[in-house]
Amino acid sequence: EVQLVQSGAEVRKPGESLKISCKASGYTFSNYWIAWVRQMPGKGLEWMGIIYPGDSDTRYSPSFQGQVTISADKSISTAYLQWSSLQASDTAIFYCARPLVAGSFDAFDMWGQGTMVTVSS
Amino acid sequence: EIVLTQSPGTLSLSPGERATLSCRASQSVRNSYLAWYQQKPGQAPRLLIYGASSRATGIPDRFSGSGSGTDFTLTISRLESEDFAVYYCQQYGSSPWTFGQGTKVEIK
């Protein structure tokens, strides 16, 4: 069974760092792009960026470039999203998602369960 | 960046009625790379339609997508109770991939 399982909810203070994860199973991790999507409380979906674990090719939305870092470790089939200095405005649910077709930019047919990140002093 | 504008913001309908959701793009979506997702409270989005008109695996045939260029439509032919949710369109033809702001389909 294809699955994306994300790490658990996190509570941090402003200025702290954080790295959340998305572990894939049931398919060849290296062959599919993995995206990260933000959903702020009560709001819509925002595409943050995407990584190809096979060669770590990474693309960012201009809105998130320089604000977060996306990485992947293909040896353990896990993608990451990290912040070096969190702000209260980073409070949101973050989803990882996988496209339909290997090696292609495509619609996301597989989603993680989401990781809630709360940043509060 | 392609901006997707969904309308209406909220659609109030009764079970059994037809729902028509619109997604308009600020520029042409390459190859009709337009998807529709359904999201229920506390859940991750679920892919319904890709390539503007292809149903994803396991999606009932009461869901259909159409359109090309800048105008796309999601139609739910007869609403069932489990269809009341928020629906998002997304284009994946040009980076950055973008989502519409969502249409909430609520029970009238």
Side-chain angles (χ1 to χ4, degrees), chain A residues 39 44-45 47 95 105 108 112, chain B residues 37 39 43-44 47 90 97 99:
Chain A
Q39 188 166 39
L45 305 170
W47 181 82
Y95 293 101
F105 298 134
F108 301 129
Chain B
Y37 300 87
Q39 188 179 34
Q43 296 184 18
L47 178 65
Q90 180 217 2
W97 289 246
F99 290 91

Side-chain angles (χ1 to χ4, degrees), chain B residues 44-61:
Chain B
R46 173 195 181 197
L47 178 65
L48 300 175
I49 301 288
Y50 63 96
S53 60
S54 297
R55 267 189 303 278
T57 302
I59 302 304
D61 60 8

